[in-house]
Amino acid sequence: MIITECKKCNKLVWPNCKFCSICLEKTRKRDINNIGKIIEFSKKDKTIFCIGEFEQIRIIGTLQTNSNDILPNSRIKLHTKNLHEQLTYFFTLID
Amino acid sequence: MNVFVTDYSSTHFTLQNIEIRSILLSSVQKLLIQSKIDKKLIDGILISTTSNSKYLAAQISEFLGIKSKFAFTIENLCSSGTNAIVSAFAYISSGLANAIIVVGADLYNPPGKIFECDESRGSYKHPIFWASLFTKAYKRKYGINEYDLARISSKNYNHALHNPYAFNKKTYTVENIIDSKKITDDLNILHCSKLCTGSSAILMMSENYAKKFSTDPVRIIGIGQFTDSTFFTKNDLTSMPSTKIASQNAFSMCKLTPNQIDVAEVHDAFSICEIMAIEDIGFTKKGHGADLSNELYQTKNNKINPRGGLLGSGHPIGATGISQTMEIVQQLQNKAGKRQISRANIGLIHNMSAAATSSTILILTSS
Ligand SMILES: [Zn+2]
């Protein structure tokens, strides 16, 4: 996943924007560190939806796991897919 | 300059599929007839809606024979209604206008239902997902259970039985709420307010006009608004910072404290929202919202959400903040019938948007 970062103050700006929300300077694009943690989750039918935090960025995605042992702060890896022209996020647990 | 609400009207909240213009006309026509105001005195019409129909305020002005100086639409998702009221307040208090109609409406399937622009929600854009995550996080932090949440829903659906305009017409027990259809692991269908078709309108006036044309005007004495983010995931999951700041600003404006509020309508889009809102407004300490709601439920005290809140009344998005305000005005005028809270003198409205990323608080008084 690509995020934007301020060229001057290095603040992460997400959702992506061409300007920094702190110093208003231009941003550059870079890959996010795709290892993060679970902030919170719930379940709809058999689908676990979850807020994951990667660096300081929080996004809602689907947690793909058969484990019942899920807790906030569990380590996860971020994957993305383009579904129906929309970027969709998936997470997998890291042991 | 002081600003007052003098008159109000509403349509029934239903699942009717009609034109947005038609339902707006219904509530404004009713307001004009009830208030008996000379149309020549109306300076403007502000419309709150998430509808994509254009130039609605000009159309309503023309169809009802009002020559508006100010006529336009205000859109800010679920708090569009109170945002329009704050705008009308600014026009009147600045002296630019003496009388403004604020009317809100939406249909049961409005464009404002899903906030598509929140990229942080990924493919989980429907409000049930943020509400489930709020509920789960709050349960985890403060140890509330399904009975605590169900009592809020039961209370508000039951309050709505005495609201003639409400969508809900049924009594629900705590057990009915718990047994209702599961939407997610943390949300049942009866924990969710229902989008519906409806329109509510109020007439706002300057002090000069209110003295001349109203026998029991209600004054707006406190206003607070705050927008802290657009993207839901940036929020804390167990509190509503925008509500907290908006409340502090509103109380500071009128130099009152939360324990002086006799009656309040709070934005219970989902049951968990009532708990978080009453804490962040300051009616009780953080972590004790469910205790307060439980006490109100047990003692049949309807001071929070007497019209049934969004759960019981339904949620015609653009009309909601205006319908909430209409309820508080009726309460302060001692005209709320079976919903009346005795000796209600000061009332509060809490209206918010998009998982409480922004909030508005209004404080009104009859004295
Ligand atoms: Zn910067």
Side-chain angles (χ1 to χ4, degrees):
Chain A
M1 185 179 125
I2 304 288
I3 50 168
T4 47
E5 179 181 61
C6 178
K7 284 182 178 174
K8 192 181 171 196
C9 74
N10 296 324
K11 184 195 181 263
L12 293 185
V13 180
W14 198 84
N16 293 346
C17 180
K18 59 185 177 180
F19 300 122
C20 170
S21 59
I22 301 291
C23 69
L24 307 181
E25 290 296 323
K26 285 187 178 164
T27 58
R28 62 178 157 245
K29 290 183 177 170
R30 72 159 170 88
D31 282 321
I32 196 168
N33 176 354
N34 65 358
I35 305 297
K37 63 179 181 182
I38 292 176
I39 296 297
E40 192 50 274
F41 65 94
S42 183
K43 208 169 173 188
K44 179 164 174 52
D45 306 319
K46 287 183 177 159
T47 306
I48 303 169
F49 56 96
C50 151
I51 300 183
E53 185 179 86
F54 304 89
E55 301 190 37
Q56 297 110 51
I57 305 299
R58 290 181 176 189
I59 46 186
I60 309 181
T62 307
L63 182 65
Q64 296 181 316
T65 179
N66 293 320
S67 167
N68 287 323
D69 198 18
I70 312 162
L71 282 171
N73 293 320
S74 299
R75 287 195 347 126
I76 45 173
K77 187 170 181 183
L78 166 66
H79 314 265
T80 59
K81 245 186 232 173
N82 242 320
L83 280 181
H84 315 295
E85 293 176 20
Q86 184 184 306
L87 195 58
T88 308
Y89 310 104
F90 295 91
F91 312 136
T92 48
L93 285 170
I94 303 171
D95 295 329
Chain B
M1 214 181 292
N2 290 326
V3 179
F4 295 80
V5 180
T6 57
D7 295 275
Y8 40 78
S9 71
S10 189
T11 68
H12 290 100
F13 291 181
T14 66
L15 292 181
Q16 210 183 354
N17 188 15
I18 55 173
E19 275 188 25
I20 191 80
R21 188 171 79 185
S22 170
I23 194 143
L24 284 162
L25 282 170
S26 296
S27 61
V28 181
Q29 181 254 14
K30 196 170 158 188
L31 179 73
L32 288 169
I33 290 174
Q34 281 173 190
S35 68
K36 299 187 179 76
I37 186 164
D38 180 349
K39 286 189 284 179
K40 289 192 197 94
L41 299 174
I42 306 285
D43 294 308
I45 296 190
L46 305 190
I47 291 184
S48 69
T49 182
T50 68
S51 160
N52 290 326
S53 292
K54 303 300 174 207
Y55 216 38
L56 276 169
Q59 296 181 54
I60 301 303
S61 298
E62 170 150 358
F63 279 112
L64 295 176
I66 296 166
K67 298 284 181 196
S68 291
K69 287 184 201 160
F70 311 103
F72 55 89
T73 296
I74 286 168
E75 187 284 310
N76 204 34
L77 291 177
C78 302
S79 62
S80 301
T82 49
N83 281 256
I85 293 171
V86 172
S87 299
F89 180 98
Y91 274 98
I92 296 169
S93 63
S94 68
L96 277 172
N98 277 304
I100 290 190
I101 290 171
V102 184
V103 55
D106 258 302
L107 305 187
Y108 66 93
N109 196 12
K113 174 173 148 185
I114 292 173
F115 179 41
E116 296 288 353
C117 300
D118 188 347
E119 292 161 53
S120 74
R121 300 188 200 186
S123 49
Y124 294 95
K125 292 209 164 54
H126 195 283
I128 60 164
F129 298 110
W130 65 253
S132 299
L133 292 162
F134 269 8
T135 306
K136 179 73 169 280
Y138 193 95
K139 280 182 186 167
R140 192 190 298 284
K141 187 165 181 182
Y142 296 109
I144 62 161
N145 59 35
E146 57 182 347
Y147 287 90
D148 293 312
L149 290 162
R151 278 189 283 263
I152 293 166
S153 304
S154 172
K155 167 176 85 64
N156 292 351
Y157 286 117
N158 294 344
H159 289 177
L161 296 178
H162 297 304
N163 173 358
Y165 304 108
F167 180 79
N168 178 58
K169 309 283 180 208
K170 280 188 193 166
T171 304
Y172 291 102
T173 64
V174 168
E175 287 69 27
N176 294 151
I177 309 290
I178 291 171
D179 294 341
S180 68
K181 187 182 166 193
K182 274 252 175 233
I183 302 294
T184 69
D185 274 11
D186 295 287
L187 212 60
N188 295 53
I189 188 89
L190 291 175
H191 288 140
C192 312
S193 61
K194 183 148 185 73
L195 292 170
C196 57
T197 299
S199 178
S200 303
I202 59 170
L203 178 58
M204 292 172 60
M205 286 188 177
S206 63
E207 189 157 7
N208 280 347
Y209 271 37
K211 274 182 185 161
K212 252 189 239 171
F213 303 114
S214 174
T215 51
D216 48 5
V218 167
R219 184 154 72 99
I220 300 176
I221 52 172
I223 293 176
Q225 278 194 309
F226 197 73
T227 303
D228 65 356
S229 70
T230 311
F231 304 107
F232 151 67
T233 58
K234 291 185 179 175
N235 266 1
D236 173 22
L237 296 175
T238 58
S239 69
M240 301 170 167
S242 67
T243 294
K244 209 169 183 172
I245 296 169
S247 297
Q248 286 164 353
N249 291 342
F251 282 115
S252 149
M253 180 173 164
C254 57
K255 298 181 178 61
L256 292 173
T257 56
N259 61 9
Q260 290 173 283
I261 299 295
D262 301 309
V263 54
E265 276 287 324
V266 306
H267 196 106
D268 57 336
F270 299 92
S271 313
I272 189 68
C273 300
E274 177 167 312
I275 296 182
M276 288 162 63
I278 59 181
E279 292 172 357
D280 291 327
I281 291 165
F283 292 144
T284 185
K285 282 186 193 150
K286 201 70 210 160
H288 292 271
D291 299 335
L292 175 56
S293 286
N294 186 18
E295 185 192 318
L296 298 171
Y297 169 84
Q298 302 293 355
T299 56
K300 293 192 167 29
N301 181 335
N302 66 338
K303 70 174 273 186
I304 304 288
N305 285 329
R307 82 186 171 121
L310 282 66
L311 284 167
S313 305
H315 185 23
I317 298 179
T320 287
I322 297 168
S323 173
Q324 291 176 304
T325 304
M326 169 174 158
E327 173 67 19
I328 297 303
V329 172
Q330 283 183 294
Q331 290 283 348
L332 301 180
Q333 291 177 332
N334 202 23
K335 288 180 177 168
K338 287 184 178 168
R339 307 184 310 283
Q340 186 63 48
I341 283 108
S342 67
R343 295 187 294 279
N345 183 36
I346 301 167
L348 177 146
I349 296 115
H350 164 251
N351 188 200
M352 67 186 202
S353 295
T357 48
S358 66
S359 299
T360 307
I361 298 282
L362 304 177
I363 300 174
L364 277 55
T365 184
S366 52
S367 57

